C-alpha cells in the first residue's frame, strides 16, 4: 500500500510531505512473468476535466466539489498500495502486476507522487524509507536533503527577536537543501528491486501521469490558491500553478507537464547522474542562485544516500521498526509508546479527558527531549539508546500526575545509553514491506522552480533551528532533523502486523503514536483507527484537538491546567494523513486518510 499526504500549518507556515506504504505478500524470490509491455508510454487522449474515481463507487469529491471521506481503504490478498493519491497507488499496483516486487512498486509510487502531488513532494525533495525484505531483514534508507557545503550556523541575518530577516530560511534559494529523492528511489530500486523490471519501466507510470495528465483535486487546488504571495516573489512558480492564460485551474481540470515528463524520461534512461550532474544540475544551481541560493554543482555531485539500521522497540509485545536519525520520528514514536505502555490505555475512553491528558503529558516530554538532544548524529552525539530505553520511559511515566498538567522537567537519557534496545529482528517469510515518507517540506517547497524542467526545489533548510546553540543548527553537509516516521510493526513471532506512516511535520509523531495505540489498545480496524479524531501537543502545553472531545472532557482538561483549543471543526490535514496496511489472516487490509487525498488500492 502506499500512502501520501498532506499539509501542516506550523505557525504561519504550511508544511507538506507525502508518505506511502506498500505491503505485498509476494515472495521476492518468486520471479513473476514480466509484462512490461503494459508499461509503454502512450499518448492517451483524456477529457480535459474529470473526476478521480475508482469506477467501483468511490470518488474523491461530490457534486458540490467537497472531498468525500468514505471508501478510502482496500482489501487484497496479493498486494496493497496505500498512498496519498489514487493515481500513485495505482502506479504501484501496476508494477506489482507487471512482475515487480514491493520495492519496485514503492519506487513507482514514489516517482508518481512526485508528479501528482507537486504541492507536497517532488524530485527535488527527499525522504526516508524502511524496507522489511523477504528474509525478514529490515533496513533504513535515508535520502534526506543535506545542507549545501557553504552553509553554517551563522549564515542567517537575524532581527532583534532572532527571526531570520525576510524568512530566507523558509523560501527562496537559501532555503534549498541538496535533494535526495532521485538518488534514494534509484538506490532502493537497484539494491532491493526484483530485477525483473528496468528503471524506465518502474518510472513509466510517473512519466505517463506527467505527460497525459492527472485531475486537479479540491485539496491540490486549495494549496495552489494558498501560494499567491510566493508566486509574486518567485514568478517562475506561476508556470507550474497557473494556466497559460494566467488563470487558476479548476477542480477536475487535467494537469499535464511535458517538461516534467521529459525530465523523468531523462532520469529513467540515464539514471541518477542525469539529475545530479549535467544540464539539470546546472539548472538547479542557477535557479537557486537567482534567489540567493548557495547550492553548488559539487554539492549535487557529492550527494550520498545513507543506509543504516532502523530504530527498534516494542509496544505491548509487538515489535516496532521505524526511522532513525536524521529523522527523530521513529525514536520519538517508540519513546511515546514506551511511556504509554506504563498505563492501561484501554480503560480510558477514546475521547476521554484522561486519555488526552496522558497523550499530552507524554508528547510534551518527548518534544522537550527532541529539542534538547536531537540532530544529525554525524555532527553531534545523540543519546539514541537512552531515548529508546524502557527504563528511561518508566522514569518519565512516573512523573505523570493523572490529575494535573505539568511543565516537562528534564531528565537524563544518557544514563540509559548502555542499554541495548535495538535488536535485529528476523521476520517470517511472508511479506515484503516498504514504507516511505517523502517531502519537499512546505506547500510547494521553496517556491523556486527549476525552469524548463518542471519541478520545484525543496525548502528543507527550514527544518533546521536558527539557534546556533541548538543540536539541530544548520551546517555544511548536515541533515535537518525530521519527524518522518515510516513504521513497520511485527507480531511477537516476527510475522508482519502493520505498516504505517504519515506526513504532517511535527504532528507526525503524535499521529503515528495515536493510530498505533488505537489499533493495539482499542482493537480498532485500521480504517477506524485512521478515522478517529486526533490531538497534538508539544512543549507549549496546549492540547490542540481535531474533534471528538465533549464539553465535559474539555472542562476537565482545563481543570487539570491544560490549555485546550479545537483546531477547526472536523478532519483537518494539520493532523497528518496516515496511510497504513494491516495483515489479517492472509488478507492485506489497507487504510487511507481522508484528511488528504489518500486512497488504498489492492489486488
Ligand atoms: N519536513 C518535515 C519533516 O521532515 C515534513 C513536512 C510535512 O510532513 O509536511 O519532518
Amino acid at each position: 500500500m502506499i500512502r501520501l499526504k498532506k499539509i501542516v500549518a506550523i505557525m504561519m507556515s504550511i508544511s507538506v510531505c507525502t508518505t506511502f506504504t506498500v505491503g505485498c505478500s509476494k515472495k521476492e524470490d518468486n520471479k513473476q512473468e514480466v509484462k512490461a509491455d503494459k508499461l509503454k508510454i502512450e499518448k492517451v487522449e483524456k477529457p480535459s476535466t474529470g473526476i478521480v474515481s475508482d469506477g467501483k463507487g468511490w470518488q474523491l469529491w461530490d457534486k458540490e466539489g467537497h472531498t468525500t471521506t468514505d471508501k478510502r481503504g482496500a482489501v487484497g490478498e496479493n498486494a496493497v498500495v496505500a498512498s496519498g493519491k489514487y493515481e500513485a497507488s495505482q502506479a504501484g499496483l501496476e508494477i506489482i502486476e507487471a512482475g515487480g516486487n514491493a520495492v519496485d512498486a514503492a519506487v513507482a509510487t514514489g516517482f508518481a507522487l512526485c508528479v501528482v502531488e507537486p504541492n507536497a513532494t517532488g524530485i527535488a525533495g527527499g525522504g526516508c524509507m524502511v524496507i522489511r525484505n523477504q528474509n525478514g531483514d529490515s533496513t533504513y534508507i535515508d535520502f534526506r536533503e543535506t545542507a549545501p557545503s557553504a552553509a553554517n550556523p551563522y549564515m542567517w541575518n537575524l532581527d532583534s527577536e532572532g527571526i531570520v530577516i525576510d524568512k530566507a530560511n523558509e523560501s527562496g534559494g537559501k532555503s534549498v537543501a541538496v535533494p535526495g529523492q532521485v538518488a534514494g528511489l534509484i538506490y532502493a530500486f537497484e539494491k532491493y528491486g526484483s530485477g525483473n523490471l528496468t528503471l524506465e519501466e518502474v518510472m513509466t507510470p510517473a512519466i505517463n501521469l506527467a505527460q497525459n495528465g492527472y485531475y486537479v483535486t479540491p485539496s491540490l487546488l486549495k494549496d495552489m490558491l494558498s501560494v499567491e504571495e510566493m508566486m509574486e516573489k518567485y514568478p517562475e512558480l506561476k508556470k507550474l500553478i497557473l494556466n497559460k492564460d494566467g488563470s487558476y485551474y479548476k477542480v477536475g481540470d487535467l494537469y499535464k507537464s511535458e517538461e516534467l515528463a521529459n525530465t523523468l524520461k531523462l532520469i529513467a534512461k540515464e539514471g541518477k547522474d542525469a539529475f545530479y550532474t549535467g544540464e539539470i544540475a546546472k539548472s538547479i544551481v542557477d535557479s537557486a542562485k537567482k534567489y540567493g541560493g548557495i547550492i553548488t554543482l559539487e554539492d549535487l555531485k557529492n550527494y550520498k544516500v545513507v543506509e543504516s539500521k532502523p530504530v527498534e522497540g516494542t509496544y505491548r509485545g509487538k515489535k516496532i521498526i521505524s526511522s532513525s536519525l536524521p529523522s527523530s520520528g521513529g525514536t520519538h514514536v517508540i519513546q511515546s509508546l514506551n511511556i504509554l505502555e506504563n498505563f492501561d490505555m484501554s480503560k480510558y475512553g477514546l475521547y476521554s479527558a484522561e486519555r488526552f491528558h496522558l497523550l499530552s503529558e507524554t508528547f510534551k516530554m518527548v518534544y522537550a527531549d527532541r529539542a534538547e538532544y536531537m540532530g544529525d548524529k554525524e555532527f553531534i552525539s545523540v543519546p539514541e539508546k537512552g531515548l529508546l530505553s524502557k527504563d528511561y520511559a518508566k522514569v518519565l511515566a512516573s512523573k505523570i500526575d493523572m490529575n494535573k498538567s505539568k511543565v516537562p522537567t528534564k531528565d537524563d537519557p544518557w544514563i540509559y545509553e548502555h542499554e541495548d534496545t535495538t535488536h535485529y529482528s528476523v521476520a517470517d517469510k511472508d511479506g515484503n514491506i516498504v514504507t516511505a515518507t517523502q517531502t519537499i517540506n512546505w506547500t510547494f517547497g521553496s517556491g523556486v522552480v527549476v525552469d524548463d524542467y518542471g519541478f520545484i526545489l525543496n525548502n528543507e533548510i527550514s527544518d533546521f533551528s536558527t539557534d546556533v546553540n541548538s543540536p539541530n543548527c544548520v551546517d555544511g553537509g548536515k541533515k535537518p532533523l525530521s519527524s518522518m516516521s515510516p513504521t513497520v510493526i511485527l507480531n511477537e513471532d516476527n510475522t508482519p502486523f502493520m505498516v504505517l506512516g504519515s506526513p504532517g511535520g511535527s504532528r507526525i509523531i503524535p499521529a503515528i503514536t495515536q493510530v498505533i495505540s488505537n489499533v493495539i489498545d482499542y482493537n480498532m480496524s485500521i480504517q477506524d483507527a485512521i478515522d478517529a479524531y486526533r490531538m497534538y501537543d508539544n512543549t507549549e502545553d496546549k492540547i490542540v484537538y481535531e474533534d471528538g472531545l465533549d464539553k465535559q472532557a474539555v472542562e476537565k482538561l482545563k481543570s487539570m491546567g491544560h490549555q485546550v483549543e479545537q483546531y477547526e471543526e472536523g478532519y483537518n490535514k494539520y493532523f497528518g494523513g496516515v496511510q497504513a496496511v494491516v495483515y489479517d489472516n492472509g488478507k492485506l487490509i489497507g487504510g487511507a486518510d481522508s484528511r488528504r487525498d489518500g486512497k488504498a488500492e489492492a489486488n
Side-chain angles (χ1 to χ4, degrees):
M1 74 180 54
I2 300 178
R3 69 189 51 194
L4 136 10
K5 21 221 73 215
K6 84 297 272 341
I7 292 214
V8 173
I10 302 178
M11 290 180 219
M12 301 294 293
S13 310
I14 301 289
S15 167
V16 179
C17 77
T18 184
T19 296
F20 57 92
T21 300
V22 178
C24 175
S25 64
K26 274 183 186 162
K27 289 183 204 158
E28 291 188 44
D29 51 0
N30 185 8
K31 298 221 170 183
Q32 304 293 309
E33 189 198 337
V34 181
K35 296 183 211 128
D37 57 316
K38 287 186 64 184
L39 299 170
K40 295 258 165 63
I41 300 158
E42 286 162 29
K43 275 256 179 216
V44 182
E45 285 314 316
K46 288 189 182 171
S48 62
T49 60
I51 190 150
V52 176
S53 155
D54 67 355
K56 292 180 266 175
W58 171 78
Q59 58 182 51
L60 189 53
W61 61 90
D62 62 18
K63 283 198 199 90
E64 279 79 48
H66 297 130
T67 302
T68 58
T69 55
D70 61 342
K71 301 186 185 138
R72 298 299 184 110
V75 181
E77 281 166 11
N78 186 38
V80 177
V81 183
S83 84
K85 287 281 174 180
Y86 172 62
E87 298 90 335
S89 299
Q90 277 187 315
L93 270 196
E94 197 183 329
I95 290 300
I96 294 279
E97 280 160 13
N101 65 11
V103 175
D104 296 325
V107 171
T109 298
F111 275 117
L113 289 172
C114 288
V115 176
V116 297
E117 213 181 12
N119 47 332
T121 180
I123 54 174
C128 56
M129 180 183 275
V130 174
I131 300 175
R132 180 189 173 273
N133 71 18
Q134 80 276 13
N135 302 320
D137 296 336
S138 300
T139 193
Y140 176 60
I141 301 178
D142 153 25
F143 46 100
R144 181 73 164 162
E145 301 92 321
T146 305
S149 50
N152 68 76
Y154 304 95
M155 68 188 271
W156 306 117
N157 295 322
L158 304 177
D159 67 15
S160 55
E161 278 159 30
I163 308 289
V164 177
I165 291 173
D166 286 341
K167 298 196 172 154
N169 60 329
E170 295 182 357
S171 74
K174 274 210 175 102
S175 72
V176 179
V178 187
Q181 186 69 48
V182 170
L185 291 182
I186 293 179
Y187 179 96
F189 170 74
E190 287 175 347
K191 189 155 179 193
Y192 295 106
S194 63
N196 286 339
L197 298 169
T198 63
L199 182 61
E200 271 179 297
E201 285 164 340
V202 296
M203 289 182 69
T204 294
I207 295 167
N208 279 337
L209 285 162
Q211 185 163 296
N212 302 327
Y214 59 91
Y215 298 125
V216 173
T217 68
S219 81
L220 175 58
L221 184 62
K222 199 170 165 198
D223 281 357
M224 288 171 153
L225 293 168
S226 75
V227 290
E228 210 180 333
E229 224 177 275
M230 199 147 81
M231 279 195 290
E232 294 310 319
K233 254 176 134 176
Y234 315 110
E236 293 83 0
L237 186 57
K238 289 185 185 165
K239 277 214 229 166
L240 291 200
I241 304 261
L242 303 176
N243 283 301
K244 284 205 174 71
D245 66 1
S247 63
Y248 276 101
Y249 285 86
K250 294 187 298 299
V251 169
D253 281 356
L254 196 63
Y255 185 103
K256 296 185 189 187
S257 174
E258 193 71 38
E259 289 170 340
L260 182 56
N262 289 337
T263 303
L264 292 170
K265 280 182 203 169
L266 205 66
I267 296 169
K269 204 159 151 248
E270 294 176 9
K272 79 175 173 63
D273 286 352
F275 183 84
Y276 288 94
T277 61
E279 288 307 309
I280 299 180
K282 199 169 162 311
S283 197
I284 291 173
V285 169
D286 292 345
S287 307
K289 207 175 195 170
K290 179 166 178 195
Y291 296 106
I294 53 173
I295 185 171
T296 63
L297 283 174
E298 278 294 292
D299 289 332
L300 285 160
K301 206 170 123 205
N302 292 337
Y303 184 83
K304 294 247 170 338
V305 174
V306 179
E307 186 171 358
S308 64
K309 280 186 178 182
V311 291
E312 293 189 6
T314 60
Y315 185 58
R316 304 195 203 278
K318 305 264 191 240
K319 250 171 227 179
I320 317 282
I321 302 167
S322 192
S323 53
S324 43
L325 286 168
S327 183
S328 66
T331 302
H332 292 313
V333 165
I334 292 172
Q335 187 189 9
S336 302
L337 294 169
N338 281 346
I339 297 170
L340 295 175
E341 202 176 42
N342 292 283
F343 301 87
D344 180 4
M345 295 293 286
S346 59
K347 78 174 190 216
Y348 304 119
L350 196 65
Y351 301 121
S352 63
E354 289 77 9
R355 178 169 172 269
F356 273 58
H357 172 67
L358 255 180
L359 291 171
S360 163
E361 297 302 286
T362 298
F363 295 142
K364 279 189 298 188
M365 292 191 284
V366 163
Y367 275 94
D369 278 353
R370 186 182 191 273
E372 181 78 21
Y373 301 110
M374 294 297 248
D376 185 342
K377 63 181 178 188
E378 297 297 315
F379 285 71
I380 53 155
S381 302
V382 176
E384 259 184 312
K385 286 181 190 160
L387 292 168
L388 290 166
S389 145
K390 295 267 187 210
D391 285 344
Y392 178 57
K394 266 201 180 82
V395 172
L396 299 184
S398 71
K399 295 182 180 195
I400 296 178
D401 178 338
M402 279 312 286
N403 299 308
K404 207 164 92 214
S405 161
K406 286 201 204 157
V407 177
T409 50
K410 259 181 49 176
D411 228 285
D412 189 3
W414 282 109
I415 22 180
Y416 304 89
E417 195 55 12
H418 60 280
E419 293 216 343
D420 179 11
T421 57
T422 54
H423 294 294
Y424 197 64
S425 299
V426 178
D428 93 353
K429 56 192 181 306
D430 296 320
N432 304 297
I433 297 167
V434 183
T435 177
T437 306
Q438 59 186 55
T439 185
I440 50 171
N441 203 16
W442 296 4
T443 306
F444 295 107
S446 63
V448 177
V449 167
V450 181
D451 223 4
D452 299 333
Y453 291 100
F455 63 91
I456 297 170
L457 297 174
N458 70 79
N459 69 327
E460 220 66 56
I461 292 291
S462 72
D463 273 357
F464 283 113
S465 166
T466 54
D467 176 354
V468 296
N469 297 313
S470 164
N472 184 35
C473 67
V474 68
D475 216 340
K478 192 170 174 181
K479 291 184 172 175
L481 192 60
S482 168
S483 297
M484 295 187 282
S485 315
T487 299
V488 174
I489 306 181
L490 306 176
N491 293 306
E492 270 174 73
D493 62 359
N494 287 330
T495 53
F497 172 68
M498 179 175 168
V499 48
L500 76 167
S502 178
S506 58
R507 268 75 63 206
I508 294 173
I509 294 164
I512 296 296
T513 304
Q514 285 170 79
V515 173
I516 293 173
S517 167
N518 291 348
V519 171
I520 296 179
D521 296 324
Y522 294 87
N523 275 321
M524 292 169 96
S525 73
I526 187 58
Q527 193 59 55
D528 286 351
I530 290 170
D531 291 346
Y533 294 121
R534 297 179 197 141
M535 59 80 74
Y536 171 64
D537 200 346
N538 59 16
T539 47
E540 283 156 26
D541 198 14
K542 187 201 269 181
I543 294 177
V544 180
Y545 71 104
E546 199 169 34
D547 220 324
L549 284 182
D550 62 20
K551 249 194 172 153
Q552 238 184 334
V554 170
E555 287 316 313
K556 189 159 183 190
L557 284 164
K558 284 184 178 164
S559 74
M560 292 173 180
H562 292 280
Q563 293 183 66
V564 189
E565 184 183 291
Q566 183 165 17
Y567 187 75
E568 270 172 17
E569 209 169 305
Y571 289 143
N572 198 292
K573 58 187 173 184
Y574 177 81
F575 293 92
V578 176
Q579 324 294 344
V581 183
V582 161
Y583 286 75
D584 186 13
N585 284 324
K587 283 217 157 40
L588 293 157
I589 304 176
D593 206 323
S594 63
R595 289 166 182 85
R596 302 175 187 225
D597 289 347
K599 177 81 179 98
E601 283 286 280
N603 70 10

